């Protein structure tokens, strides 16, 4: 083998957890959603994908390795991302006044690693596609903005577009048929409201009932309540939520977050056949949050559930003792408290009566916790996996 | 004590289980619903309330005894029923060409018994108020039609109005503010489609999360998906369901029944705070029904859930071996199969793979079964409890 140059670039990208949910596509090929959505980007010290993109004439074909396992790179979604990125590189190559290496025609070898257990059932595809797009864009030296890259990442996995930004991020559903205006934008950076914390309760591993891709299509086709959600409920909440974030109004942020999660799962239940992502453990988490808010006389904690039974509980740093402390009291023996953030939490000693039954259910159904916070967007890394 | 005459009359009234759900009041005092509903009246050999209404000058005050326990008769709802019935009797007394005993001014003693365990969490208030209204109407010799009595029973408990008829019964929501047109009517008698069976899976006793009275008001106030259900979804389904019953079309009957149950529970979930009536056991019952229908290649069974975790599964007699037989295979050791109907069911020997996990969950969460069928309306009885 002759010494072909290996070009490479690495990037970290974050996980995001929506507070206004993406559920339903108006165009399944382009991943264009029926409604806008909004998420909080989580800290990459706790949850991130690390991806190294390399290309070389010595490679025989494109390949993707995730956590040491070969992935199928021929899927329409991954191909859409690679095609878009190569097109941008080709444009760069052809328009450059000085000759550039023709990276657009070289096979890609992409290597990815998550710093969190894949089995946790966390939406890793968002961080995965964001890191892939960001790493290849850097490899290709593309001048593309995060907005432009979000348009590309969206075609890999809808919610991935929101992982191109840090902080509080919206995904505008867009109006155009070609999806060119269906992109993410920053509502506020993490630094605007840095006190946002997220406690993730990972439910004991169970295979997902219905994949979100097929589930959301069935909902669009069969739920008679879904149109009201997409056309009326979400547009109103998007405006209210952006305002709540601008004004650091946790009460409104929390109320909308909880109502949104319930609205999304309600349309899942209204699907034929019905889709259930929450289970009795999820409901126990809701009961604990309700009792926390009742005891505080205001909203100090807000739950949200994606397409699975895991609970994500948002709260502000000032209420850590009350919120995370209560969950540490219940779940202190589970994995996940041993990190720096977890150690800093003092387990509360008492739980009120109503929450006790829920606490037992929770203890039986949760396998680990992840304590994290709002964080920044993708970052270039000099640490390479290849 | 002098020998005052004791006047008495007794009636049986049936339970009904809605296939298009009543949830939400446009007038809480008059029990006027936000949408029409439709139910199947169940056989009184399996589920009924037996009520004897008596009145006498020897009584000192109105009283109500249910299953041997004194009930509070002063509630606005019971009072509304008694007031309406006494008004009709008073009219009769004043308009009669020959003198009638002034029963309208005598204290009432009402004694009621259910032939099913109260702990089963079955909606006994429907049968209860229907039997109470019917027994007093007979005692007073009122010429009132079941429709007229349904208007009165509705004020006691909304769904009670549907228990004044047998077979397939609709409750028209009505348009008038005084509720005079919010009455039940017979869609078809039991004899029109006598093969309808209902298998009730009674979930292990657990106190109801939220009473339906307060739950439905919270849904009306807070669910953003509820208006679409009340204004668009239900009116369309009412028409389709009436047509399905007229045409004895079980496929449509079953599909609407399941979609309706899910739609109702979806609006409960969309309530703030969310209301959960179904639990993991309920979901297991849904999974079994889905696998039965899948195996049959058509709808042979249809589930519905009221404001609690109990499943009611409708099916036709011709599919008894398949439907009830499968549940007897899973739940054969539970109470409830020892009656005539239950004995006649042969437990199926095999369950397919997917349903096995659900079967285990079901086994753990169901305490007893009740096997019944569509049945007739209230009946006068010469058996008196006083």
């Amino acid at each position: 083998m002759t010494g072909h140059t290996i070009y490479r670039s690495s990037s970290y990208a974050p996980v995001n957890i929506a507070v206004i949910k993406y559920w339903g596509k108006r165009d399944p090929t382009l991943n264009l959603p029926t409604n806008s959505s909004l998420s909080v980007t989580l800290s990459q010290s706790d949850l991130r994908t690390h991806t190294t993109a390399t290309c070389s004439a010595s490679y025989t074909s494109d390949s993707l390795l995730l956590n040491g396992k070969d992935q199928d790179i021929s899927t329409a979604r991954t191909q859409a991302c690679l095609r878009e990125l190569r097109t941008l590189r080709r444009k760069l190559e052809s328009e450059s006044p000085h000759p550039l290496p023709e990276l657009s025609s070289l096979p890609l070898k992409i290597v990815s690693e998550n710093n969190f257990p894949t089995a946790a059932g966390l939406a890793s595809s968002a961080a995965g596609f964001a890191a892939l797009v960001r790493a290849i864009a850097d490899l290709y030296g593309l001048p593309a903005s995060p907005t432009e890259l979000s348009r590309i990442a969206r075609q890999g996995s809808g919610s991935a577009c929101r992982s191109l930004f840090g902080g509080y991020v919206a995904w505008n559903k867009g109006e155009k048929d070609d999806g060119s205006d269906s992109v993410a934008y920053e509502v506020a950076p993490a630094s605007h409201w840095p006190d946002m914390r997220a406690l993730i309760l990972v439910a004991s591993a169970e295979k997902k009932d219905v994949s979100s891709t097929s589930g959301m299509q069935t909902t669009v086709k069969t739920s008679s309540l879904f149109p009201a959600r997409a056309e009326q409920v979400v547009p109103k909440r998007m405006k209210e939520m952006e305002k709540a974030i601008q004004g650091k109004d946790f009460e409104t942020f929390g109320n909308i977050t909880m109502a949104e999660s319930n609205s999304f799962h309600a349309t899942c239940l209204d699907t034929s056949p019905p889709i259930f992502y929450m289970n009795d453990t999820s409901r126990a988490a809701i009961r604990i949050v309700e009792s926390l808010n009742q005891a505080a006389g205001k909203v100090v904690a807000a739950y949200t559930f994606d397409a699975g039974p895991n609970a994500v509980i948002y709260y502000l740093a000032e209420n850590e003792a009350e919120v995370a402390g209560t969950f540490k009291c219940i779940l202190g023996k589970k994995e996940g408290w041993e990190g720096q953030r977890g150690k800093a939490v003092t387990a509360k000693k008492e739980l009120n009566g109503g929450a006790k039954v829920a606490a037992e259910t929770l203890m039986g159904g949760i396998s680990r916790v992840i304590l994290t916070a709002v964080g920044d967007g993708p970052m270039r890394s000099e640490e390479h996996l290849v």
Side-chain angles (χ1 to χ4, degrees), chain A residues 22-27 32-35 212 216-217 219-220 226:
Chain A
Y22 159 46
W23 193 254
K25 299 179 206 277
R26 60 187 164 91
D27 182 323
L32 300 180
T34 48
N35 58 257
S212 49
M216 63 174 78
Q217 285 318 91
T219 300
V220 172
F226 183 76

Side-chain angles (χ1 to χ4, degrees), chain A residues 20-26 33-37 173 175 219-220 223-238 260 263-264 267:
Chain A
I20 293 189
K21 301 294 189 188
Y22 159 46
W23 193 254
K25 299 179 206 277
R26 60 187 164 91
T34 48
N35 58 257
S36 296
S37 55
K173 83 182 194 74
E175 301 298 333
T219 300
V220 172
S223 166
S224 52
L225 300 176
F226 183 76
R229 166 169 167 77
E231 291 157 24
Q232 295 150 38
V233 178
V234 170
K236 183 164 173 281
R237 285 182 181 157
M238 280 296 290
E260 251 306 295
S263 165
F264 150 50
T267 63

Side-chain angles (χ1 to χ4, degrees), chain A residues 47-60:
Chain A
L47 297 162
R48 57 144 183 74
T49 299
H50 179 189
T51 295
T52 299
T54 73
C55 62
S56 168
S58 66
Y59 300 159
T60 52

Side-chain angles (χ1 to χ4, degrees), chain A residues 14 83 108 139 174 179 259-260 270 377:
Chain A
R83 191 170 54 242
L108 284 157
L139 172 73
E260 251 306 295
D270 190 50

